[in-house]
């Protein structure tokens, strides 16, 4: 766990750099643009980058073309993100030529040596490269880039400390994400995350609870607890005897859920992503007991075939996954589930894929995030010889998509006529008088409402269904 004193010193150093840059920028009306790729953890990191940028005198703009500071917060979980970054860098070069903008690239992709090499070689106009563990040093990097006009690479080993306490500018006023742990120890054989985000490290219970309390005071209603493997929160620390300050009885993910559930003002708690192998009974009980914890659980399946799961190093079988789902359904009233599935992992046969479809049919997920397997250099999956041809991957993906969409359609119909608790998030973008919110199961609902409904949980009767949203009418409020 982190050294509190060292953390404070580092934060103060960065706050000094924030002041220095703000002084240089004073009166210049500079702007910044940020592009965030990938998962909610990256979005949360981007909120921190925005907080720092704004305190340094930059105002956010929606178009890269108008920006004096251009930040790319990258992801490397699948290949297409790289092509996207290279495309965007071409655009950024033109903006730089026009207004001498500073270009910074951070995030997971920068932890890969082949990527930083490629950027040095092919995109020499980039000013700052920073990694996932040097994000907090962005003010210092920016100051140096401005004052020395030199190219800066600030990428640390992947197990760096989590530095707390820098400014943050949140995207939303109702929902907020709170990172509870960083890194991953699982090494699923398709996944690059353990190589770029390092080993698991949990944040101190006190820091998390205080952040949630602070968010509640600011009026936030929904908290999403984030981590690559949330349900092994504090596991490494407990196993290795690494000391952390005891707070509110928190010593595991289950006890963290219970503590967050007690924070006044928070209405809803979600979490992503847990690992099925770590879904212990105490977590199931905490979800059941805590009224604020949503009963939609994201439970990544990845594959329904025991053979493929073994090669993926997931450490559960098809049967164990289905048994876990059964146990959860028995113990948690109104449980709904969402999942991640990869199709076309090396060696996946037609029979293996049928097993995936079988699990999807049996579990009847509320939402399925589907991915075509993407080879990641440095992972065991990339070295496997029995790669699945692209046309088969795509065919399987389309079949899975068809099944999932037919299930969602059916489920949506079941919502019609029911009354759902909806947390009102804001005005809908298309119509002045309509508002949007979400059910406990994370379905978008659109309905006529009033400004004062925002931030409240209301009973909404579902009137009609569409593929990606439901229409409703407020019953109370
Ligand atoms: N190819 C395709 N999908 C992947 N995921 C992770 N690595 C890969 C990969 N190499 C998916 C997994 C994970 C989600 C965040 O991204 O399903 O749960
Ligand atoms: Fe990747 Fe597996 Fe870790 Fe998730 S649990 S981040 S899929 S290695």
């Amino acid at each position: 766990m982190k050294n509190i004193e060292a953390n404070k010193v580092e934060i103060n150093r960065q706050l000094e750099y924030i002041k220095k840059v703000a002084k240089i920028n004073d009166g210049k009306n500079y702007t910044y643009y940020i592009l965030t790729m990938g998962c909610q953890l990256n979005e949360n990191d981007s909120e921190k980058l925005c907080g720092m940028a704004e305190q340094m005198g930059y105002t956010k703009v929606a178009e890269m073309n108008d920006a004096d500071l251009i930040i790319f917060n990258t992801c490397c979980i699948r290949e297409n993100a790289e092509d996207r970054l290279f495309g965007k860098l071409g655009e950024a070069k033109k903006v730089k030529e026009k207004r001498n903008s500073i270009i910074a690239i951070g995030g997971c992709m920068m932890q890969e040596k082949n990527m930083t090499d490629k950027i040095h070689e092919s995109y020499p106009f980039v000013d700052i490269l920073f990694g996932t563990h040097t994000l907090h040093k962005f003010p210092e990097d920016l100051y140096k880039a401005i004052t020395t006009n030199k190219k800066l690479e600030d990428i640390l080993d992947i197990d760096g400390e989590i530095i707390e306490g820098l400014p943050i500018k949140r995207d939303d006023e109702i929902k907020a994400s709170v990172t509870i742990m960083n890194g991953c120890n699982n090494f699923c054989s398709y996944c690059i995350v353990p190589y770029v985000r390092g080993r698991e490290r949990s944040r101190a219970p006190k820091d998390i609870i205080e952040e949630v309390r602070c968010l509640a005071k600011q009026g936030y209603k929904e908290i999403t607890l984030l981590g690559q493997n949330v349900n092994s929160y504090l596991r490494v620390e407990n196993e290795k005897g690494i000391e952390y300050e005891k707070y509110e009885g928190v010593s595991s993910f289950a006890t963290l859920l219970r503590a967050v559930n007690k924070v006044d003002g928070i209405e809803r708690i979600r979490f992503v992503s847990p690992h099925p192998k770590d879904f212990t009974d105490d977590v199931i009980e905490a979800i059941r007991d805590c009224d604020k914890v949503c009963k939609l659980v994201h439970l990544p399946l990845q594959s329904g075939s025991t053979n493929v799961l073994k090669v993926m190093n997931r450490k559960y079988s098809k049967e164990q996954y289905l048994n876990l789902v059964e146990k959860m359904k028995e113990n948690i009233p109104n449980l709904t589930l969402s999942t991640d599935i990869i199709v076309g992992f090396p060696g996946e046969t037609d029979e293996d894929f049928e097993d995936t479809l079988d699990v999807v049919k049996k579990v009847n997920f509320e939402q399925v995030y589907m991915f075509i397997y993407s080879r990641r250099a440095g992972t065991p999956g990339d070295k496997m010889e029995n790669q699945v041809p692209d046309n088969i991957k795509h065919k399987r993906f389309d079949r899975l998509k068809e099944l999932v969409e037919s299930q969602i359609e059916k489920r949506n119909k079941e919502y019609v006529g029911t009354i759902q608790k909806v947390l009102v998030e804001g005005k809908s973008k298309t119509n002045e008088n309509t508002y949007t919110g979400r059910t406990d199961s994370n379905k978008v609902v659109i309905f006529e409402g009033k400004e004062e409904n925002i931030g409240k949980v209301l009973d909404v009767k579902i009137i009609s269904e569409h593929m990606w949203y439901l229409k409703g009418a407020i019953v109370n409020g």
Side-chain angles (χ1 to χ4, degrees):
M1 191 96 358
K2 70 171 197 274
N3 175 334
I4 296 167
E5 269 318 300
N7 181 49
K8 261 194 209 145
V9 172
E10 180 56 26
I11 288 297
N12 286 335
R13 244 167 60 76
Q14 296 307 322
L15 291 174
E16 283 306 309
Y17 279 110
I18 287 183
K19 278 192 210 146
K20 284 184 192 173
V21 179
K23 203 165 160 202
I24 297 171
N25 288 348
D26 190 32
K28 298 205 174 106
N29 293 327
Y30 281 149
T31 53
Y32 78 101
Y33 164 87
I34 186 162
L35 175 72
T36 309
M37 299 168 175
C39 66
Q40 291 186 55
L41 276 148
N42 253 20
E43 281 168 20
N44 193 231
D45 280 350
S46 283
E47 291 181 331
K48 292 173 194 158
L49 289 164
C50 292
M52 294 186 250
E54 297 199 3
Q55 290 213 354
M56 289 187 283
Y58 296 91
T59 311
K60 195 171 186 172
V61 287
E63 299 295 328
M64 193 203 299
N65 216 2
D66 304 326
D68 302 297
L69 169 64
I70 298 171
I71 310 170
F72 298 109
N73 190 10
T74 62
C75 163
C76 56
I77 203 142
R78 283 171 295 272
E79 201 171 13
N80 43 15
E82 281 154 28
D83 301 337
R84 191 160 165 231
L85 175 69
F86 296 140
K88 288 282 170 192
L89 280 174
E91 263 179 68
K93 184 174 184 227
K94 290 199 190 106
V95 183
K96 189 180 177 92
E97 282 161 4
K98 200 176 64 184
R99 53 196 299 156
N100 200 23
S101 315
I102 291 180
I103 302 172
I105 315 180
C108 294
M109 236 185 244
M110 296 305 102
Q111 297 291 149
E112 293 181 291
K113 174 110 179 35
N114 59 341
M115 277 303 290
T116 49
D117 286 350
K118 175 147 188 185
I119 287 169
H120 285 307
E121 224 170 83
S122 312
Y123 304 90
F125 53 88
V126 174
D127 300 280
I128 304 169
L129 301 183
F130 60 99
T132 47
H133 305 300
T134 43
L135 178 114
H136 63 278
K137 283 176 70 195
F138 184 61
E140 181 176 349
D141 294 341
L142 185 60
Y143 176 78
K144 288 181 179 161
I146 294 170
T147 53
T148 65
N149 247 330
K150 268 195 213 137
K151 195 180 175 75
L152 242 141
E153 182 170 325
D154 194 359
I155 297 162
L156 268 185
D157 72 81
I158 53 170
D159 294 326
E161 289 284 357
I162 305 165
I163 303 286
E164 308 256 0
L166 278 164
I168 180 157
K169 164 87 183 353
R170 303 216 176 239
D171 285 341
D172 196 291
E173 287 170 1
I174 304 293
K175 301 194 288 186
S177 300
V178 174
T179 300
I180 64 165
M181 49 118 52
N182 271 288
C184 180
N185 288 359
N186 290 325
F187 290 91
C188 301
S189 59
Y190 50 82
C191 186
I192 192 81
V193 166
Y195 306 91
V196 295
R197 289 257 173 187
R199 297 293 68 71
E200 280 180 26
R201 307 166 304 287
S202 295
R203 279 179 74 196
K206 191 169 180 216
D207 290 338
I208 298 171
I209 305 290
E210 282 182 350
E211 186 174 342
V212 175
R213 281 192 191 130
C214 182
L215 287 164
K217 272 205 198 106
Q218 291 169 44
Y220 284 92
K221 302 293 172 198
E222 181 175 307
I223 299 294
T224 301
L225 304 174
L226 295 181
Q228 251 86 34
N229 199 0
V230 283
N231 52 346
S232 61
Y233 174 69
L234 287 180
R235 169 162 318 160
V236 173
E237 287 74 12
N238 289 334
E239 277 173 7
K240 291 197 177 155
I242 300 170
E243 279 206 23
Y244 54 91
E245 194 180 343
K246 296 284 175 297
Y247 194 70
E248 303 275 323
V250 177
S251 59
S252 61
F253 184 58
T255 45
L256 178 69
L257 281 179
R258 289 181 190 273
V260 176
N261 195 60
K262 285 194 197 127
V263 177
D264 281 341
I266 297 300
E267 301 272 0
R268 279 184 173 171
I269 303 161
R270 301 185 188 275
F271 55 88
V272 278
S273 280
H275 194 302
K277 79 173 166 58
D278 299 319
F279 223 103
T280 43
D281 289 352
D282 59 342
V283 176
I284 297 178
E285 284 154 19
I287 299 170
R288 180 198 60 201
D289 296 346
C290 295
D291 56 330
K292 297 174 185 173
V293 175
C294 291
K295 305 311 176 213
L296 169 75
V297 176
H298 185 69
L299 195 65
L301 169 68
Q302 311 303 0
S303 168
S305 150
T306 298
N307 292 335
V308 173
L309 286 166
K310 198 157 190 194
V311 189
M312 283 179 163
N313 194 28
R314 292 290 290 175
K315 303 203 168 75
Y316 53 86
S317 64
K318 175 184 181 183
E319 286 66 36
Q320 281 168 327
Y321 185 93
L322 286 171
N323 289 342
L324 173 63
V325 167
E326 267 323 295
K327 182 158 71 172
M328 289 168 72
K329 283 184 176 170
E330 268 166 31
N331 284 283
I332 307 169
N334 300 320
L335 178 83
T336 53
L337 290 154
S338 61
T339 201
D340 291 345
I341 293 176
I342 299 176
V343 298
F345 183 75
E348 183 187 72
T349 62
D350 284 340
E351 292 76 55
D352 292 324
F353 179 62
E354 289 302 325
D355 271 331
T356 298
L357 295 179
D358 188 44
V359 175
V360 171
K361 279 181 202 146
K362 287 192 167 120
V363 178
N364 196 8
F365 293 103
E366 193 72 33
Q367 179 71 270
V368 180
Y369 300 90
M370 295 166 274
F371 307 104
I372 290 177
Y373 172 67
S374 169
R375 293 174 79 160
R376 304 285 65 207
T379 62
D382 184 45
K383 294 184 197 86
M384 292 176 190
E385 273 162 19
N386 44 0
Q387 300 288 328
V388 175
D390 272 354
N391 61 336
I392 296 182
K393 281 188 196 167
H394 282 98
K395 267 194 197 133
R396 288 183 187 159
F397 183 87
D398 291 344
R399 266 192 75 197
L400 176 63
K401 188 161 168 261
E402 210 175 292
L403 170 64
V404 167
E405 288 184 355
S406 73
Q407 284 188 318
I408 291 180
E409 234 171 280
K410 221 165 117 203
R411 286 186 78 88
N412 284 351
K413 289 207 170 80
E414 289 165 10
Y415 275 93
V416 177
T418 63
I419 293 175
Q420 297 288 322
K421 296 250 172 265
V422 171
L423 172 60
V424 186
E425 291 175 5
K427 276 198 174 134
S428 82
K429 289 194 182 82
T430 43
N431 185 332
E432 260 296 290
N433 299 321
T434 58
Y435 287 74
T436 83
R438 279 174 193 260
T439 63
D440 180 285
S441 58
N442 216 25
K443 282 259 178 235
V444 175
V445 185
I446 296 179
F447 48 90
E448 276 188 21
K450 293 177 273 189
E451 187 87 31
E452 63 257 35
N453 296 144
I454 296 174
K456 297 208 171 102
V457 176
L458 302 178
D459 285 339
V460 175
K461 183 164 184 177
I462 306 304
I463 311 168
S464 65
E465 44 84 27
H466 304 260
M467 192 67 195
W468 302 117
Y469 65 94
L470 305 169
K471 270 195 179 162
I474 297 176
V475 177
N476 61 358

